[in-house]
Amino acid sequence: MSELDLDIERRISWPVPEPELSDDIHPALTDAVRAAATAYRASRHRFGRDDLAVVVAQGADGTPTMRVDELVESAIAEAATRHGVNLLSEEIGFLDNGSATTLVLDPIDGSANAAAGVPLSCVAGVVAVDGVATEAVTCWLDTGRVWWAKAGEPTPYRTTGRTSVDGAELCLLRPKPGARDAWMRVASRADRVRVLGTTALECALVAEGSVDGFADPGSDTHRIMDLAAAMVTVPAAGGVVLDAFGRPLVLDPDLSRRWSGVAAATPALAEELLALIAG
C-alpha cells in the first residue's frame, strides 16, 4: 500500500452535517459555529487521522495545538472579524476587534476525539457583552445537534433533579495525577461513570437530563472556554456550574487561569460532589 493510499484509508469518511441553528441565535455566534463545522468537514476530507492530530503550535493557553484545532479556529476567527466582534479562544488567545461584544469559544472541545474519528466533539461558547454572557451554544459536530440558551430566559432543557451522588449517573474527566484519589471517591459512590473526553458536550447532557452531573475532580484542567457555554445552559435548565474549590468562574482573557469545573443537576448534588472531591 502506498503512502497516499494509507493516508486516504486513515481519513474519516462519514459526513459532518450542518448545525441545527435557530434563527434567533446571535448572527456572529451562528456564523462562527457554521464556520467551525465547515472547517472540520473540510479537514476530515483533506487529512487523515494522524495528520489531524499533529501538534503544529503551542496555544495561547499553554497547551499543544493540533492541526485540527488550528484549522477550525482560523475559520472561527475569520467569522468573528467579519462581524466585527472580539474572540477569546484557547489557541489564538484574545483577538481584539474593538467591540464590546466578544465570542468566548472552544473551537473543538474534544480535539483528540475529533482527530481520531471518535464522534464526541463539539464547538461551544458564549456571546459576552462587556464581560457578561448573554447566550450560549453547544454544537455536537458529528450530528449537527445544537443546545442553545439565553441567560435569564426559559429553556426547554431540564436537569434530572438528582440531589445525591448515590445512584447518580456521572461524567468525569479522566483521572489525572494529583486527582486520582478524588476521582475514585466520586466514582465509587456513583451508579455509573462515563469518560467521554469532551467537557462542553458532557455539560450539555447534564442540562438536558441525560446524566446527573459532570466533574473534573480536582485536576484544574479547565480554561474558561471549556465551561463558558455550560455557565449559561446548565443554570437555565435548573442546575449549577461551579469550581470544585470555590473559585469564581469569570470570563477572563487571562488563559493561565484554571478551574476544576463541576456541573450538577441540583445545588445539593453539587455540594456532595465538592465534598467528595475535597476529601
Side-chain angles (χ1 to χ4, degrees):
M1 182 180 292
S2 69
E3 288 189 10
L4 177 60
D5 290 336
L6 182 60
D7 180 64
I8 291 173
E9 187 178 78
R10 291 287 291 161
R11 293 180 192 178
I12 304 163
S13 59
W14 58 81
V16 176
E18 284 297 315
E20 301 170 356
L21 294 160
S22 164
D23 292 338
D24 297 324
I25 299 172
H26 191 288
L29 187 55
T30 293
D31 200 9
V33 171
R34 284 186 176 142
T38 299
Y40 183 44
R41 183 183 306 117
S43 73
R44 300 208 312 194
H45 283 289
R46 183 179 177 190
F47 297 103
R49 290 170 168 85
D50 296 338
D51 285 335
L52 289 173
V54 166
V55 174
V56 295
Q58 196 76 5
D61 64 349
T63 62
T65 301
M66 293 183 184
R67 175 173 279 127
V68 68
D69 293 315
E70 182 181 59
L71 292 169
V72 173
E73 186 182 59
S74 294
I76 287 174
E78 290 175 6
T81 298
R82 281 196 300 271
H83 287 270
V85 300
N86 310 325
L87 174 66
L88 179 62
S89 181
E90 59 187 31
E91 318 302 340
I92 200 172
F94 185 65
L95 177 62
D96 188 354
N97 285 319
S99 176
T101 300
T102 299
L103 301 181
V104 183
L105 283 173
D106 191 340
I108 298 189
D109 185 68
S111 302
N113 287 345
V118 176
L120 291 167
S121 63
C122 63
V123 53
V126 301
V127 176
V129 179
D130 292 327
V132 178
T134 60
E135 62 183 284
V137 159
T138 301
C139 173
W140 186 356
L141 287 167
D142 277 281
T143 68
R145 186 177 180 185
V146 170
W147 292 262
W148 174 57
K150 296 194 78 170
E153 295 191 10
T155 175
Y157 318 121
R158 284 294 174 268
T159 71
T160 62
R162 179 170 289 278
T163 58
S164 175
V165 177
D166 295 319
E169 295 202 7
L170 302 176
C171 289
L172 297 178
L173 208 66
R174 71 183 188 276
K176 294 188 176 185
R180 287 173 180 158
D181 289 346
W183 197 98
M184 286 303 302
R185 285 194 296 271
V186 174
S188 64
R189 286 274 301 276
D191 184 61
R192 189 180 300 272
V193 170
R194 296 177 176 89
V195 180
L196 304 183
T198 169
T199 292
L201 186 56
E202 290 165 285
C203 288
L205 295 177
V206 175
E208 73 165 21
S210 297
V211 297
D212 298 306
F214 164 83
D216 167 7
S219 71
D220 280 359
T221 292
H222 291 131
R223 297 139 299 195
I224 196 58
M225 59 277 302
D226 295 312
L227 302 169
M231 290 161 59
V232 174
T233 308
V234 175
V240 294
V241 176
L242 35 71
D243 172 65
F245 302 112
R247 296 164 296 196
L249 300 173
V250 291
L251 299 179
D252 189 338
D254 179 3
L255 295 186
S256 68
R257 298 185 70 175
R258 294 287 188 274
W259 291 270
S260 292
V262 173
T266 60
L269 177 60
E271 287 181 15
E272 280 201 9
L273 286 168
L274 265 58
L276 287 169
I277 291 168

